[in-house]
Amino acid sequence: MLVPRHYRPELNIPKSLLLLSAIGIPIFAFIPVWDIILFIAPRLGLMESIKIVLTTYTAGTAWDFTLLVSIVLVLLIIFTKSTEKTLFAYLGALLTFGSIFTVAWSSHAGALNPQIGIISDFIHLVAVSIWVGVLLIMGWFSNNHENWLKFLSWFSIVAFSCLSATALSGLFMMDVIVDGYIDSWMVSYGQGLLLKHLFMLPLLFYALVNGLIVKYKISKNASFNPTPWIRLESFILFAIFTITAIFSQQPPPHGNYLTNEAISPLFRFFNDAPIDINSTVGFVVNSNTVIFFFLTVLLLGLMVLSFFRKAPILLSFLFSCLLVASIFTMLMVTIVVR
């Protein structure tokens, strides 16, 4: 609603969806808080643990603010009239940024380095929210094909800016959280981080497709429908978010984190070498590496072909997932523990 109508397609966003989204914020944000409560409950009891976590732990007090902001956001959605949509958009954006700040406040990076960690995590989440939020809304709630060329003209710049901000802030967060990126692949957090980064490859490919090729096709044919490829990009983003939600609940690879219990079962599947606190990761190319390299090239070709042959987006998404799996496997079979 912040973008004028002549710079975007017409939108129809159900009010019920906005309400569900606002209600879901404190519910999903409570999951890591609940994990802490369950961890200390056997010693202190459930009710006492809830009281202590919500009043003294950073994760708990941050969630208190998240709940407060979400309640205000829900009330804003309920009582805003159709003639007040612009005001609602600005207030809603402000409250959303407030919710994002509470998440950054309680993050791993924020706990390890309050200054750099919170700021970089906040920038990271804001950039991703702007990029992904606009993409999801346009891909799933646009009513027509009007103004797509105008939309892609400004959104391509916004998306590139958000991608740059996401990458830079992500590097700052990794510097705080991760002690040795490649060595962290031995634990679950590092494995999740690697998968997240690998999914960025098909995401960048389809972002370039939407920003350049689709834009060119619309300029030549105004009736061309770009929404399937916007939706495909959103599928890949959903996969990245799912991976992030899973690995972010794991202990970060910081300090003396390498123990037998900390080693990822997935890493153990590929490498059963003994691992201790001084172990590091190296690479040795072998026949399996070559096989998966050529498989990766084949899958990349199929991704490109699926676009030009106008294949179903689920098939293109499958090729993207297989590409990531192939690169991941290629790296895993190349690793040696030293």
Side-chain angles (χ1 to χ4, degrees):
M1 300 304 176
L2 293 174
V3 179
R5 289 186 177 183
H6 56 278
Y7 284 113
R8 59 171 172 80
E10 190 65 32
L11 298 173
N12 181 25
I13 308 172
K15 194 170 185 176
S16 58
L17 180 63
L18 295 175
L19 276 173
L20 286 173
S21 300
I23 293 170
I25 292 172
I27 294 174
F28 290 109
F30 190 70
I31 293 175
V33 179
W34 183 245
D35 287 340
I36 298 173
I37 291 171
L38 292 179
F39 181 75
I40 65 174
R43 289 174 290 158
L44 303 176
L46 182 61
M47 296 310 296
E48 186 65 20
S49 299
I50 292 174
K51 177 184 175 182
I52 290 175
V53 171
L54 293 183
T55 56
T56 61
Y57 281 59
T58 300
T61 52
W63 183 82
D64 295 338
F65 282 100
T66 301
L67 178 62
L68 179 62
V69 170
S70 299
I71 290 172
V72 176
L73 187 57
V74 167
L75 293 174
L76 183 66
I77 294 169
I78 292 173
F79 293 109
T80 297
K81 300 176 182 178
S82 58
T83 55
E84 302 170 333
K85 285 186 177 180
T86 302
L87 178 62
F88 162 75
Y90 282 105
L91 291 176
L94 183 63
L95 290 171
T96 302
F97 289 150
S99 297
I100 290 173
F101 179 77
T102 61
V103 174
W105 178 18
S106 61
S107 65
H108 289 310
L112 293 171
N113 189 322
Q115 288 78 32
I116 297 176
I118 293 176
I119 293 172
S120 59
D121 203 349
F122 177 73
I123 294 172
H124 193 78
L125 292 172
V126 167
V128 169
S129 298
I130 293 172
W131 179 17
V132 178
V134 174
L135 197 70
L136 291 176
I137 293 298
M138 293 300 170
W140 294 96
F141 300 104
S142 58
N143 289 338
N144 52 45
H145 302 162
E146 295 178 5
N147 300 322
W148 268 105
L149 190 59
K150 289 183 178 179
F151 165 71
L152 290 174
S153 294
W154 66 263
F155 181 68
S156 298
I157 299 172
V158 171
F160 178 77
S161 301
C162 289
L163 175 63
S164 301
T166 302
L168 288 172
S169 57
L171 289 173
F172 277 107
M173 282 196 296
M174 279 180 53
D175 188 56
V176 172
I177 298 174
V178 180
D179 289 343
Y181 173 61
I182 295 178
D183 289 341
S184 74
W185 294 353
M186 290 185 278
V187 298
S188 295
Y189 192 103
Q191 293 260 302
L193 201 58
L194 172 61
L195 282 170
K196 175 183 173 180
H197 292 159
L198 291 179
F199 264 105
M200 291 298 293
L201 298 177
L203 179 64
L204 288 173
F205 170 75
Y206 289 115
L208 288 172
V209 165
N210 288 326
L212 298 176
I213 301 176
V214 168
K215 186 177 174 182
Y216 173 78
K217 284 181 175 289
I218 295 174
S219 67
K220 297 297 182 182
N221 179 10
S223 63
F224 180 81
N225 182 15
T227 52
W229 302 103
I230 299 290
R231 291 176 179 180
L232 176 56
E233 202 172 335
S234 70
F235 286 159
I236 297 173
L237 285 164
F238 180 76
I240 292 174
F241 289 156
T242 302
I243 294 167
T244 303
I246 294 171
F247 83 76
S248 62
Q249 301 306 311
Q250 304 296 322
H254 185 81
N256 297 324
Y257 63 90
L258 271 183
T259 62
N260 278 325
E261 295 77 18
I263 302 304
S264 164
L266 188 56
F267 185 83
R268 283 290 191 197
F269 178 79
F270 291 100
N271 197 310
D272 59 356
I275 297 174
D276 58 36
I277 195 171
N278 297 315
S279 297
T280 58
V281 166
F283 297 95
V284 174
V285 176
N286 52 59
S287 58
N288 289 328
T289 308
V290 176
I291 291 171
F292 280 101
F293 172 77
F294 284 110
L295 179 60
T296 298
V297 174
L298 173 63
L299 289 166
L300 181 60
L302 290 173
M303 272 178 55
V304 175
L305 188 63
S306 68
F307 172 75
F308 288 103
R309 290 294 179 91
K310 299 179 181 179
I313 59 171
L314 288 179
L315 182 61
S316 298
F317 178 64
L318 176 63
F319 288 147
S320 301
C321 293
L322 291 175
L323 175 73
V324 170
S326 179
I327 299 174
F328 179 83
T329 305
M330 180 180 68
L331 291 172
M332 290 299 106
V333 298
T334 309
I335 284 177
V336 290
V337 177
R338 294 168 178 165

